[in-house]
Amino acid sequence: MSNTVLSLRGVTKRFGGLVAVNAMDFDVTEHQVMGLIGPNGSGKSTTLNLISGALKVSGGEISLRGTPITALPAEQINRRGIARTFQLVRLLPSMSVLENVVAGAVFGHKRRWGQDARRHAETLLARVGLEGKGHLRVGQLTYIDTKRVELARVLASDPKLLLLDEWLAGLNPSELQIGITLIKSLRDEGRTIILVEHVMDAIRSLCDTCVVMASGTKIAQGTPQQVLSDPDVIRAYLGDDDV
Amino acid sequence: MDILITGLLLGGTYALIAMGLNLQYGVARIMNLANGEMLVAGGFAAFWMYTAGQISPFLTIFLLAPLTFVLNWLIYRIMLQPLVKRAKSRGQLETDSILATFGLSFVMVGLMLSVFGGDYFNYSYLARPIVIVGDTFALNRVAAFLAAVVICGALYLWLNHSRAGLSIRAIAVAPDSARLVGINVTHLAALAFGLGGAVTAVGGALLSTYLTLDASTGVIFTLKALIIVIMGGVGDVRGTIIAALLLGIVETLVASLLDPGLTLAAAYTLFILILLFRPQGLCGKKPT
Amino acid sequence: MTGTDIRNLILSAIALGICALLPLSGSGYWLSIGVTIAMFTVLATSWALFSGPTHYISLATAAFFGVGTYVTGLGFETLPFWSLIGIAGVIGAVLAALVGLATLRLSGVYFVIFTLGLAELVRQVITWFQNKSGQKGLYVLTDISEAGIYWMLLSLATAVFLTGWLIGRSRLGFALRIIGDDETVAVHSGINSALSKVLLFMVPGSVAAMTGAILAPRYVYIEPSLAFAPMLSFQVVIMALLGGAGRLWGPLVGVIPFTLLWESISSNFPQQTTLLLGVAFLIIVYALPRGFVGLLDDLRHRTRARMAEGVA
Ligand SMILES: Nc1ncnc2c1ncn2[C@@H]1O[C@H](COP(=O)(O)OP(=O)(O)OP(=O)(O)O)[C@@H](O)[C@H]1O
Ligand SMILES: [Mg+2]
């Protein structure tokens, strides 16, 4: 397939005796939003950490548009066009909102500097709904706004692939609708995204395809409708609830 | 052979001192840069008791241990715990505790200077020769080594078999999970810090039977203890002992074959090699 | 450049001009204090360029400084003095790069420990070489006057401030601010954090070596225990943190009062300087975590808040 953006082949991660990710295989094609779902502790964040280079794989291969990136350090992976958010929002506390976004624009995939970077960051702030808040300190923001800043930061380098780790988690119902609309607008722009999510509504309305993980292993793959009615998937989630 | 045994004898005492630091760093997460001063203070106490009251250093340590335990426990509670509380990140705590313990170390040096002056101090205790496998050694070195072995052994057993010891090790390995299983981390951190300080001071008293110390030599021992802890791996008792013996032997080798003035350079070379090739410590697993 | 930039530049130039007049006052005592202040300004400001944003505490100043004095000590008879300063700068930068490559990939504790022992390490090695060759110390007899040293230090200080100002506006400076805030974010934003830190660490390394080279003639006779005195590293850390390492001019605010205090304590109670150092460290940690600059900032915020209240 010529339009494959990312592919994982046999990707495995061990922490001592624990196999957190076990022989994962999947492809993400261009303009696709892929949901990566599964019960708590099933290895979703670890998979994102492996793709983004925060962790090194114990085995297997990851490639971006056919080029292996498995052994590259995180900053190289980012420069090649993969940008990520964090499950627990990470902002730069000593900087203004605008500077937080500029930080994503200067060193990554597409580089900008000076006025150019500032203007770009301002556009992105408006894009995520933070128009006119660029001068604020990040400590003054509401929870959803911190999430917006982080999203603007990862968008700032024009990545080929976005990794969003539970970006919608912790939002209240009305914020959730805003969040889903925002991510939908990214999808409509034709961005390629891997979305780690627990919120089923969001998965249904946002994802083109889903990979379901349980205990580090892929147990199902397909459209949201398909996987969410798959008995194995239901068992994985219910089993998790029973514990 | 001669060098090897002298090195081992020195390494035994180093092990004790490094164990003290490792308890403090591994459990209380405080890189205590005043560690060497605690050692010198222990040496001072032994010196003073011996010259003033003819009390054997091997008796002094029984008085010294509880005293320095309380002192270090207080230092942790009063000085360091507030830093732990206010720290927003691991890095900030690191910087704060480095600066605070530096401050403490200079204050201690300053106090010792004004009490005892800047002179070297040594005394002659058990300075009799003893023959081991055909070579002669000073009895005080051998006695200090044996005492260090006994204390290290007791510490090892305690850490591996008592409830408090096991909890302390649990904190060193996984502080967050330790909190989850109901271990009182703050309380044990203070305990470990106090214990570590006491062990170091006792090590200082033992060292003073055969080494010449002065008020400002502390920093050298801090450095050596730090190097040993890093070589052996943080929180790793066995690694610490192996690294300490290794350092003792390497230093003795360099001192007798090259120049006694190069011992720290030797320790540093070892340290650089470790940093470059095994930053996780001699026995540590590769970080995943 | 904005209007405030230009205004600040002009004000700094005037201040510099006034400082440069000090040797004309004819007071040997004040000139000698001036040299000390200029020296610590250079050292503490360049120290804070690296340690301010990264929060890595470097105790290697004495090592670089000592290397610089030895460059002058060994070369002043054969080479022109200005070239010695340049050579010292290059050697300092290379040494800093090596230290940085070995330690900056790892945690801050390793870095502190390593730099703490570095001066002692170099000192032991040089002493050993000297013992082997039967030499004791080096005489540095030049015709460079105290005023000459002062002016050279002042030029170096100007260069350091300019460098700091430029770094602050550069991508490297921005990268380091990000690293200082959150290194994980930094690497996931495409920043090579190890390389950035090593590059920046070369600045204080090089500057401290140049300072040592400039000051060597003042000592006349240099030997390892003098050139590599570890106290220097600690003084620099304290002055920089006391002033505030978060701003370019922060260290300067710490250097002047601390130098004066140090001078008076060491001439009146020479035994108590160590104690002073310890107390200063404790004050910084417990009372002035962001230095005088932080205190000023807080005051300014508070008065502004009060004024806002008054209006409302
Ligand atoms: N650095 C680490 N060291 C050791 N074990 C780890 C580490 N990171 C994750 N794990 C373990 O790997 C497993 C997978 O964790 P991961 O964070 O990937 O789960 P997740 O699917 O993202 O869960 P959640 O939905 O709660 O975020 C868990 O058992 C976790 O405890
Ligand atoms: Mg997760």
Side-chain angles (χ1 to χ4, degrees):
Chain A
M1 270 193 287
S2 63
N3 59 348
T4 304
V5 177
L6 184 84
S7 72
L8 271 70
R9 288 290 171 271
V11 170
T12 301
K13 179 66 187 178
R14 287 183 214 97
F15 293 112
L18 174 85
V19 186
V21 175
N22 188 9
M24 281 292 279
D25 286 306
F26 63 75
D27 288 325
V28 186
T29 48
E30 201 163 5
H31 311 308
Q32 194 177 49
V33 176
M34 196 199 87
L36 184 58
I37 64 178
N40 287 110
S42 54
K44 306 177 296 293
S45 295
T46 306
T47 305
L48 289 199
N49 285 337
L50 293 171
I51 298 172
S52 65
L55 294 172
K56 289 284 154 262
V57 300
S58 312
E61 180 119 327
I62 304 172
S63 39
L64 179 67
R65 290 199 181 281
T67 328
I69 55 167
T70 326
L72 292 180
E75 73 267 11
Q76 293 284 344
I77 292 176
N78 178 267
R79 288 180 197 177
R80 289 181 185 218
I82 299 182
R84 67 168 297 177
T85 63
F86 297 88
Q87 186 165 349
L88 301 172
V89 185
R90 301 185 88 127
L91 297 182
L92 306 165
S94 78
M95 299 191 184
S96 71
V97 167
L98 186 72
E99 282 178 312
N100 263 274
V101 181
V102 172
V106 181
F107 310 95
H109 179 46
K110 175 122 198 284
R111 296 166 167 225
R112 297 176 170 84
W113 179 239
Q115 276 308 312
D116 187 21
R118 289 182 82 84
R119 264 196 303 272
H120 184 59
E122 266 156 15
T123 321
L124 285 170
L125 279 178
R127 176 83 184 63
V128 299
L130 288 176
E131 195 149 29
K133 292 194 180 170
H135 63 280
L136 294 180
R137 296 264 128 197
V138 292
Q140 298 169 292
L141 296 177
T142 59
Y143 181 66
I144 185 174
D145 283 353
T146 62
K147 295 225 148 198
R148 287 171 152 149
V149 175
E150 199 180 36
L151 185 63
R153 183 179 71 218
V154 298
L155 288 172
S157 62
D158 300 341
K160 293 181 199 157
L161 173 66
L162 270 180
L163 311 177
L164 304 182
D165 196 351
E166 302 198 18
W167 193 81
L168 297 167
L171 301 183
N172 66 34
S174 64
E175 289 173 339
L176 195 59
Q177 281 319 307
I178 303 174
I180 291 178
T181 315
L182 185 53
I183 295 187
K184 205 175 262 167
S185 71
L186 294 178
R187 189 180 78 164
D188 296 342
E189 282 174 8
R191 291 184 187 270
T192 315
I193 303 175
I194 296 182
L195 196 69
V196 170
E197 238 355 295
H198 281 302
V199 184
M200 289 302 160
D201 284 348
I203 295 164
R204 280 201 195 85
S205 58
L206 293 173
C207 300
D208 304 306
T209 174
C210 280
V211 165
V212 189
M213 292 183 78
S215 319
T217 314
K218 180 170 91 175
I219 56 165
Q221 184 168 17
T223 63
Q225 280 79 2
Q226 282 167 354
V227 298
L228 291 178
S229 55
D230 184 319
D232 282 344
V233 175
I234 295 169
R235 208 170 305 127
Y237 270 95
L238 288 183
D240 183 60
D241 280 350
D242 282 350
V243 173
Chain B
M1 195 59 203
D2 174 23
I3 294 174
L4 206 66
I5 295 183
T6 313
L8 278 178
L9 293 180
L10 182 64
T13 324
Y14 279 175
L16 194 57
I17 298 159
M19 286 266 264
L21 186 71
N22 210 342
L23 271 175
Q24 297 184 327
Y25 186 53
V27 182
R29 307 271 148 180
I30 299 284
M31 186 45 101
N32 181 10
L33 296 173
N35 183 266
E37 277 67 37
M38 198 48 71
L39 179 150
V40 174
F44 260 132
F47 165 75
W48 189 73
M49 295 288 273
Y50 186 72
T51 46
Q54 290 295 311
I55 296 169
S56 154
F58 294 95
L59 287 177
T60 302
I61 58 177
F62 287 100
L63 182 65
L64 191 61
L67 270 179
T68 45
F69 174 82
V70 172
L71 180 65
N72 279 277
W73 189 86
L74 286 175
I75 289 175
Y76 184 82
R77 284 282 172 178
I78 296 170
M79 279 183 61
L80 301 171
Q81 207 166 304
L83 298 183
V84 177
K85 285 221 178 88
R86 88 175 185 199
K88 290 195 198 76
S89 65
R90 183 85 198 263
Q92 196 195 345
L93 177 60
E94 211 163 63
T95 311
D96 276 352
S97 59
I98 285 169
L99 294 174
T101 54
F102 253 134
L104 183 64
S105 94
F106 281 117
V107 169
M108 284 178 70
V109 173
L111 291 178
M112 288 194 278
L113 274 177
S114 47
V115 176
F116 297 95
D119 297 335
Y120 289 99
F121 64 94
N122 62 349
Y123 53 95
S124 164
Y125 176 74
L126 288 184
R128 270 167 298 167
I130 173 175
V131 178
I132 304 173
V133 283
D135 285 307
T136 20
F137 299 94
L139 182 57
N140 48 23
R141 281 185 189 251
V142 179
F145 175 76
L146 290 179
V149 169
V150 170
I151 297 170
C152 271
L155 214 59
Y156 185 79
L157 287 180
W158 183 73
L159 283 176
N160 279 297
H161 296 288
S162 78
R163 201 185 136 69
L166 285 173
S167 314
I168 281 186
R169 284 188 48 217
I171 299 177
V173 178
D176 296 329
S177 335
R179 199 166 278 124
L180 288 181
V181 295
I183 295 175
N184 185 338
V185 174
T186 324
H187 173 73
L188 280 175
L191 188 71
F193 195 87
L195 194 63
V199 169
T200 306
V202 168
L206 295 180
L207 266 181
S208 74
T209 58
Y210 62 94
L211 280 190
T212 307
L213 300 172
D214 73 276
S216 43
T217 40
V219 60
I220 302 286
F221 289 101
T222 307
L223 273 175
K224 287 181 182 169
L226 290 170
I227 292 174
I228 292 170
V229 169
I230 288 167
M231 280 204 306
V234 175
D236 182 344
V237 176
R238 233 175 353 136
T240 305
I241 294 174
I242 295 172
L245 296 180
L246 189 66
L247 185 70
I249 293 170
V250 169
E251 270 191 11
T252 317
L253 267 178
V254 170
S256 46
L257 299 182
L258 270 176
D259 188 324
L262 284 177
T263 51
L264 192 73
Y268 253 67
T269 317
L270 219 54
F271 182 42
I272 297 173
L273 292 176
I274 294 284
L275 283 189
L276 291 179
F277 300 109
R278 285 196 73 84
Q280 72 275 26
L282 280 178
C283 311
K285 289 201 199 68
K286 259 210 149 29
T288 37
Chain C
M1 253 196 250
T2 63
T4 31
D5 278 343
I6 292 171
R7 193 200 65 191
N8 289 344
L9 214 58
I10 293 175
L11 284 179
S12 312
I14 295 174
L16 183 71
I18 295 173
C19 292
L21 296 178
L22 177 71
L24 307 182
S25 75
S27 155
Y29 174 73
W30 282 108
L31 179 58
S32 134
I33 298 248
V35 169
T36 309
I37 287 181
M39 168 180 104
F40 279 117
T41 303
V42 169
L43 294 176
T45 307
S46 62
W47 182 91
L49 284 182
F50 171 76
S51 298
T54 60
H55 308 298
Y56 278 87
I57 297 174
S58 159
L59 294 170
T61 314
F64 297 123
F65 184 90
V67 167
T69 56
Y70 265 80
V71 168
T72 301
L74 294 170
F76 77 98
E77 279 169 330
T78 40
L79 291 168
F81 191 64
W82 58 265
S83 71
L84 294 174
I85 302 177
I87 294 171
V90 172
I91 294 180
V94 171
L95 189 61
L98 292 177
V99 174
L101 286 173
T103 56
L104 284 173
R105 292 173 300 134
L106 305 162
S107 98
V109 172
Y110 294 77
F111 181 74
V112 180
I113 297 165
F114 195 89
T115 56
L116 170 61
L118 188 66
E120 182 64 16
L121 172 70
V122 184
R123 189 185 69 76
Q124 287 196 349
V125 172
I126 291 187
T127 312
W128 182 63
F129 269 117
Q130 290 195 338
N131 287 344
K132 288 207 100 173
S133 61
Q135 192 184 11
K136 273 278 156 276
L138 292 168
Y139 284 96
V140 187
L141 301 170
T142 63
D143 51 6
I144 297 166
S145 67
E146 183 101 338
I149 292 176
Y150 177 76
W151 280 317
M152 279 190 275
L153 286 175
L154 219 52
S155 326
L156 188 56
T158 314
V160 169
F161 276 106
L162 276 177
T163 311
W165 185 70
L166 288 174
I167 289 178
R169 300 162 59 95
S170 72
R171 286 171 201 240
L172 178 62
F174 189 50
L176 277 144
R177 281 179 60 208
I178 301 172
I179 294 170
D181 263 11
D182 189 331
E183 190 154 355
T184 307
V185 170
V187 296
H188 286 288
S189 305
I191 295 171
N192 186 335
S193 74
L195 181 69
S196 316
K197 286 188 274 188
V198 171
L199 279 178
L200 197 69
F201 187 51
M202 290 165 74
V203 175
S206 165
V207 169
M210 289 196 268
T211 314
I214 294 176
L215 278 161
R218 197 193 198 200
Y219 292 129
V220 182
Y221 178 77
I222 54 177
E223 55 168 8
S225 59
L226 205 77
F228 294 94
M231 195 58 96
L232 184 76
S233 305
F234 295 113
Q235 285 171 295
V236 167
V237 174
I238 288 180
M239 291 183 196
L241 292 178
L242 199 61
R247 297 275 177 82
L248 185 55
W249 48 270
L252 184 62
V253 186
V255 165
I256 296 173
F258 196 81
T259 306
L260 297 177
L261 182 67
W262 184 270
E263 290 291 322
S264 80
I265 297 268
S266 57
S267 55
N268 295 324
F269 313 95
Q271 287 288 324
Q272 305 306 332
T273 47
T274 324
L275 198 58
L276 170 68
L277 218 53
V279 172
F281 265 118
L282 295 179
I283 288 179
I284 288 171
V285 177
Y286 293 98
L288 286 171
R290 284 180 302 134
F292 289 138
V293 171
L295 202 65
L296 284 178
D297 279 353
D298 288 348
L299 278 180
R300 208 181 316 155
H301 274 295
R302 217 167 302 154
T303 40
R304 200 175 298 161
R306 200 167 307 143
M307 270 159 61
E309 255 167 47
V311 171

